Amino acid sequence: MTGVPDFAPWQARIHEQVRGALDGGRLGHALLFCGPARLGKRGVADALAAHVLGAGREARVAQLLAAGTHPDFHQVSFVPTRDGTKLRTEIVIEQIRELSSKLSLTAQYGSAQVAIVDPADAINVAACNALLKTLEEPQPGRHLWLVASNPARLPATIRSRCQRIEFRLPPRDEALAWLVARGHRERDAVEALDAARGHPGLAAEWLAGAGMALRREVAKDLAGLAKGELPVVATAQRWAGGDDAAERIAHAADLALARASGLTDVAGIGKLAAWFDAANRTRDLLRTTVRADLAITELLLAWRGTVART
């Protein structure tokens, strides 16, 4: 973690507001940074942590934070599995117990400690119960901040003990200006922002990589499948054969939603909404041992049947 980054306008506004509230003592020890992914929640939280810990006053503090070795800054996220071959997909009770133990100690620099749990919506049930105990017993100078794109996954008992810092999609003109300022052509930025339904972070990610090209390919495939011009099984195998299968399905689901928004027929909208849900379930299945090509084949067969009747 380094100094204050070059924030987007919507990030800068939240950073300034929360920093002022922290300095004025108007915020409690527990904060929940929430809102859509890729809007900069973690970057703002890191910058605020640096401020609370005094990075702007002491060079040594800033150096320790930049090196990731500040003893009063604690981060909880996914850790490797026991065999070390991959990362866990949830935050477990041992991690929260270790965090609680650290927060019970005296701060080594100044009088504050900051802990960031990210993604907090990946905390399992047992870990949530342990976290609740820490939230219920705050100590002076201890800041416990949760970062979550899906805060509804957190128990209400935890959400109710945190003050929410809400990140929302910025106005379209502001998002478009930000994308153009990052070096993207306005025409491309408009296309990506429309595809991302006004989400500048997602649009920026697609523009920086191959996201928009992949989206166009998925749209072409869906059209070909609908007309019977593409073989379902071969298309499903092609989708499943790369590392971007989940991203393809996410684009497909979003394109189905966009198609539904242009309909007036209630039955047709309902069928596309059902396929949208099926696409999201299929994407979840890709994280299991289910054969991806078979799951995607079933989804694309359903697509052909759905659009044939809408």
Side-chain angles (χ1 to χ4, degrees), residues 27 67 75 175:
L27 291 176
Q75 304 179 73

Side-chain angles (χ1 to χ4, degrees), residues 17-90:
Q17 292 166 2
V18 178
R19 177 171 169 166
L22 285 168
D23 290 346
R26 298 190 299 276
L27 291 176
H29 75 294
L31 302 180
L32 174 57
F33 293 80
C34 55
R38 302 180 186 86
L39 282 184
K41 298 185 295 295
R42 181 56 191 270
V44 171
D46 279 344
L48 290 167
H51 174 67
V52 168
L53 295 171
R57 299 185 299 273
E58 297 183 38
R60 177 60 175 163
V61 170
Q63 291 169 357
L64 289 170
L65 288 171
T69 56
H70 196 296
D72 298 324
F73 180 62
H74 316 295
Q75 304 179 73
V76 178
S77 190
F78 298 130
V79 295
T81 54
R82 293 186 186 280
D83 61 10
T85 58
K86 57 183 179 181
L87 291 178
R88 290 180 181 269
T89 57
E90 60 182 12

Side-chain angles (χ1 to χ4, degrees), residues 136-302:
E136 290 175 335
E137 301 169 359
Q139 299 183 51
R142 309 305 195 268
H143 300 268
L144 180 53
W145 298 346
L146 311 182
V147 179
S149 298
N150 297 290
R153 293 180 181 174
L154 286 165
T157 49
I158 287 181
R159 298 198 306 269
S160 65
R161 285 166 173 78
C162 299
Q163 290 172 272
R164 296 170 71 100
I165 309 299
E166 297 273 2
F167 283 69
R168 297 183 176 87
L169 297 183
R172 178 180 172 79
D173 57 347
E174 182 176 88
L176 182 59
W178 177 74
L179 289 169
V180 171
R182 289 168 65 90
H184 300 295
R185 293 186 304 177
E186 184 169 355
R187 182 181 62 187
D188 296 336
V190 167
E191 180 189 13
L193 195 60
D194 286 343
R197 297 202 297 274
H199 191 315
L202 187 56
E205 182 178 295
W206 288 348
L207 287 167
M212 289 304 297
L214 185 65
R215 187 181 180 87
R216 295 186 197 103
E217 182 181 326
V218 169
K220 184 177 179 181
D221 285 347
L222 291 179
L225 289 165
K227 296 175 183 177
E229 297 173 351
L230 286 180
V232 171
V233 174
T235 304
Q237 290 173 339
R238 173 161 52 83
W239 282 26
D243 296 330
D244 55 8
E247 189 176 356
R248 286 177 183 270
I249 295 174
H251 280 303
D254 192 60
L255 288 164
L257 201 62
R259 183 185 179 109
S261 68
L263 296 179
T264 56
D265 173 47
V266 174
I269 293 172
K271 291 170 185 175
L272 285 167
W275 192 87
F276 172 84
D277 291 338
N280 287 325
R281 288 195 298 272
T282 302
R283 188 169 47 158
D284 290 338
L285 281 175
L286 297 186
R287 295 195 289 267
T288 71
T289 56
V290 170
R291 275 185 53 179
D293 60 329
L294 295 181
I296 297 174
T297 295
E298 182 177 353
L299 178 69
L300 296 186
L301 281 171

